[in-house]
Amino acid sequence: MACARVPLDEQQVTESGSSGKERTLPALHPDRKEERCFVPYKPPPEDGSPAEVEEFLEHARFIVEDLEWLLALPHDKFWCQVVFDESLLRCLDSYLQLAPRGLDLGTLPLLPAVADVQRTIHKAVFLTFLRMATHKESKEHFITPAVFGEIIYNNFVFDIPKILDLCVLFGKGNSQLLHKMIENIFTQQPAYYSDLEETVPTVLQVFDTILKKCGLQCEGATAMEPMKLNEQKQPTAMSMKLEELADLVLYLCDSTSTIHAFLDIFPAACSSFHSHGFLSRLPSFYEAAVPDLEKAIRKRSFDDKSLQEDLWKRMSHSCRKMVETTHLLLHHTCLQPILEGRENIQTFAEELLQYFTSFLPEKRFLVDYDDEFPISDDISLLQQALPVIDETRTLYLLQGVESAWDATGRRRPQTEGASSSPANQGAAAAACSDGFGSPEVKESRGERLEGAEAAPQKGDNGAVCPVSGPELESLLSCIRDLLPDLGEGFLLACLQEYGYNSELVINNILEDRLAPSLEKLDRTMPRPVKEDLPDVLNTRSNVFDDDEFDVFRKNQVDMSRVWKGRRKGESAREMLDDKQHIAEQRARYLMYETVVDEVAVEPGASGGAGADPYDLDDYDDEYDDTYDMNQVGANDLDGDSLLSRRPFTVPQVLRKGTKAEEEEQEDDEDEDVSQNPVNRDQFVQDPALLRERAEAKRAAMQQKKGFRPERSSNVVGRPKGQVQTTETLLDRRKKETNKSRVSNHNRRSMADRKRNKGMIPS
């Protein structure tokens, strides 16, 4: 075998030939292909006989076994089979062409065995295409990217029609894988972009073909020139055969679904469609073809009503996909560059407004687009990203949208997410068997829903419900008549999600466009059991709980103790005069009347060493013992005494001695005063001494460094008429402010109060 880490296109393999001799071959060689015949796919039979069903099951098992065998092959063998086995590619192509689409599976009554086999084939085909779109399976098994692109392009493993079919068949639930597959294919082989550019004009021809079949377009005439169309005598949707009308609607539904799925999964292709004027052709086609086809489906008589309902459902689906395709193209080519902040934002904004302006003449398309994707939201987003946008132009667009709603005679839906498209309403009305597409039925139902929303009601479980109980049952029975396999619990969840609009619920279920929260639910879910209200008795608290008459917690009550009504032979006065209950309480209150005034003490019981000092005989109730435990003055210090603060002096009258002793004693006192100039007994100190101390303090201050002597006050100033100095003005203001400190200190100066209030300028 070839060594590791070598691409498959460069590997050499040594094998023994038919003659028994060994030979070296490239890993990708026709001789290495296994001889196996892959049978083409056949769709499931519609209401087929048991023999046809058995034939389909056997045929399908062959395909499943062959594809499972192919997927189990090693890397080199797998690619030899893919490149050189033409029957494999024919088998895969047949499945892409004939496999039922999403809407087909909802109408085909498949047996459980047939449905299981169909899902198995579907999975095996997808895994086969997924492996064929992968050029590197592991570090050891891979193909050179350039060689891989040549292999899949030259051998027609993938082409644009196959990629479109892959998107519409496997897009649901596998969008991320499909995006990686297609992105890898276009990256490794850029030639597919050229093929896509050549394919878009072919896609546009689909619209021309439908218009011609409906008699809305021919050589030299368009839908805006009915006289020329009448001269051509082209068949119209009202005059063509029912089989042709059905084929035309199926053709439109398949084309619009495929285009939308491809652009949704691979947004890089939007630029190719945009460059070919797809956004200009699609609205005009919608405006010309959709009303004519809807009228034909609604007005023409069908022998099989189920066919009529199926065509209406597919027509509604086609309208929705065309609107969503337009939104995808606008978002990825105009809005997305603006939100990403690319260069030339003004150019993208101008282009977006130009497209919205071109939609104004197409009133039916404009209303359906605004119903699904409000244009006001896009304009608001545009104004936030680009504040310099012309407000007059945006106002003109919004007024044009409003006039389109008025021109079509439709009202904006009140419920968020509910579509008021006549196609959607007509499909649901037909499904509900209330008269196919009857506007009277739609009006009455709209009035009923509006009336219910005006007065919300509560359901059985207390939740607010916009419809009453009988109306809810009517909505459920209406939906179950068309979709009997769905459980009532699932339908209730759908009605709650879509505002109890049965038409919108039916339309979304048939188109398989349910909200993600509903997709997770079991479609056979039964109706939930009615929720009981919480037991109030278990949560209450009452003084009579658990007494002998508590009937809420006791199953049996002594009824002999319960008397109903008036007793025989007993009047109301007798009942009031009965004081038996007072006698029953007398014994209780007698206990409180026992009061002991005196206690007899036996002789010899008191006194002695062990006697209580607070005996009853010694107790005096009038004695005030408040301060018995307080020792007043006992803990005071001796230094706080007045004697310690003032020396003891003998009065002169009591003094005894000579004058010499007295003079000597006075001299000693004078010396003590001179030594201790601050005497506490001296009432006023000597002013002369205080002046000397102040003078000495000022002299000491002047000797310090940086001392600035106080400036003398000068309130006289210069003579009148001359300009006063700043010092004079300040001194005068200071004098005026402080002059009341001596003579008028009990009240504030009137001038001060006026100056503080701003009445006198400072």
Side-chain angles (χ1 to χ4, degrees), residues 113-142:
V114 176
D116 292 341
V117 173
Q118 177 64 31
R119 284 192 292 268
T120 305
I121 297 177
H122 192 77
K123 181 179 179 181
V125 172
F126 177 70
L127 293 177
T128 303
F129 277 107
L130 180 61
R131 190 174 183 184
M132 289 192 304
T134 306
H135 71 282
K136 183 178 181 180
E137 295 184 2
S138 64
K139 294 182 179 180
E140 291 77 18
H141 304 102
F142 62 96

Side-chain angles (χ1 to χ4, degrees), residues 32-60:
R32 301 193 67 213
K33 175 180 69 70
E34 298 289 340
E35 294 297 333
R36 198 177 186 96
C37 181
F38 291 84
V39 296
Y41 170 80
K42 293 182 179 180
E46 298 181 10
D47 299 331
S49 61
E52 293 178 346
V53 173
E54 185 65 28
E55 180 183 0
F56 170 78
L57 293 177
E58 184 178 3
H59 194 85

